[in-house]
Amino acid sequence: MSSAAERAAALELVARLKSAYPELPDAPTPDLLDHARLVAYLKPVHDVGGEPDAPMKYENKDYEYWEHMTYVMCEVLAWRGIWLSEERRRIGNVDVGRAVYLGLPYYGRWLLAVARVLIEKHHIGLTELSERMAEVQERYVAGLEGKSLEAQPRSQGGGADVKRNSHHLHAVGKGDPQVYAGKAGEPRFRVGDAVVVRELPVLFYTRTPEYARGATGVIDAVAYESPAAEDETWDRPDATPNGSTWSGLPWPISGTATPERHKTACAPKSPNTGCRLR
């Protein structure tokens, strides 16, 4: 059990962590928040391309054991239909917020995503997870002392009663994106078409980098059929390829940009500024 002084020190450390504009107070009143800052707050934090920053030193560091195991857990959850790769990207890269995204190791965010998806999809309860974490802490209260971590599961089962996500169920035995083949109709854009990447409002998640918006180019190839990432990330049962969500865009566009794959990301490049297809 931590002491009062230790808890006070922990709270002081938390108070130093800032992910807001220093010129504004915490939880500013609406009159203090302009549109530009509002857009910045709402921007998905994983879309960092083009943001000014200092160069990072690349280090060819071996992964630690827990990082390998985290990757394995994430892959098993995908293979067994608990989540999609787009769900993992959103939960581990965007939903965590800017401070966690920039502050934790890469696989640290993956590990948080594992816990969150299991809780949100009711495979475990938060109380259950907290109790198990406390048990593990008590088991290694003196550290590993040269021993390896040991799994002590309370039970093991076949998983027949585990609820799988809808995308997994309809793709079993067929594959993804093969399950969507031939379901999208004719592509809206064809090779050689001039297009511009649309500047759509962004909420919660996107795969269209901000720096690519407004970029122009020429269609180089037509991609495979698949739901839009923005719909697939919530495992929508009706997220099927159709007139507005088909992955009919090339990437890259003549090497000038890499827009999101579905039709809503681009519009024809035309003098008619009102021409924006959905």
Side-chain angles (χ1 to χ4, degrees):
M1 181 68 67
S2 61
S3 66
E6 289 172 332
R7 291 191 292 273
L11 290 173
E12 182 180 357
L13 186 62
V14 170
R16 289 173 50 201
L17 179 62
K18 299 294 183 182
S19 57
Y21 290 103
E23 65 270 22
L24 294 177
D26 290 344
T29 55
D31 59 299
L32 296 177
L33 192 62
D34 58 26
H35 179 72
R37 285 173 175 76
L38 176 63
V39 171
Y41 276 129
L42 296 180
K43 180 184 177 183
V45 297
H46 71 309
D47 183 13
V48 297
E51 294 181 10
D53 203 348
M56 295 180 65
K57 180 182 178 181
Y58 176 77
E59 296 183 6
N60 191 18
K61 177 183 176 295
D62 289 336
Y63 288 122
E64 298 182 10
Y65 177 75
W66 71 268
E67 293 176 300
H68 283 290
M69 296 308 296
T70 297
Y71 177 81
V72 170
M73 281 193 295
C74 290
E75 289 298 291
V76 170
L77 289 174
W79 295 339
R80 296 306 182 186
I82 304 303
W83 63 4
L84 308 171
S85 59
E86 288 296 343
E87 288 182 282
R88 180 194 56 72
R89 291 188 184 102
R90 172 178 56 82
I91 296 172
N93 292 338
V94 182
D95 292 356
V96 294
R98 192 173 185 88
V100 170
Y101 180 79
L102 296 176
L104 289 191
Y106 181 69
Y107 281 110
R109 291 187 278 108
W110 281 44
L111 193 57
L112 281 178
V114 169
R116 182 159 184 169
V117 74
L118 291 177
I119 292 169
E120 288 191 348
K121 297 199 173 185
H122 304 163
H123 296 295
I124 60 175
L126 180 55
T127 301
E128 176 188 3
L129 177 61
S130 299
E131 293 286 356
R132 291 292 282 166
M133 290 174 65
E135 288 180 21
V136 174
Q137 287 177 332
E138 182 64 27
R139 195 186 310 159
Y140 298 101
V141 66
L144 292 178
E145 298 180 322
K147 298 178 294 186
S148 298
L149 288 171
E150 179 185 0
Q152 295 183 10
R154 288 181 175 175
S155 62
Q156 297 184 29
D161 297 329
V162 175
K163 184 179 179 181
R164 319 290 174 168
N165 66 40
S166 59
H167 180 86
H168 172 81
L169 294 176
H170 84 263
V172 167
K174 302 173 186 176
D176 179 2
Q178 294 87 346
V179 69
Y180 296 111
K183 295 185 178 181
E186 290 296 316
R188 178 164 294 168
F189 305 110
R190 299 185 181 278
V191 173
D193 286 354
V195 294
V196 58
V197 181
R198 301 175 65 194
E199 192 171 2
L200 291 174
V202 178
L203 282 176
F204 308 131
Y205 189 67
T206 184
R207 293 294 301 281
T208 307
E210 182 176 351
Y211 69 82
R213 295 165 188 266
T216 59
V218 177
I219 296 294
D220 181 66
V222 176
Y224 54 82
E225 297 157 278
S226 178
E230 289 85 346
D231 293 329
E232 195 174 36
T233 189
W234 272 277
D235 187 37
R236 285 186 52 178
D238 60 345
T240 55
N242 54 45
S244 63
T245 59
W246 180 54
S247 295
L249 290 187
W251 43 339
I253 289 184
S254 297
T256 60
T258 306
E260 180 53 42
R261 294 170 290 167
H262 57 88
K263 283 185 179 180
T264 56
C266 280
K269 184 181 178 183
S270 170
N272 180 5
T273 56
C275 184
R276 288 292 182 268
L277 303 182
R278 295 184 181 275

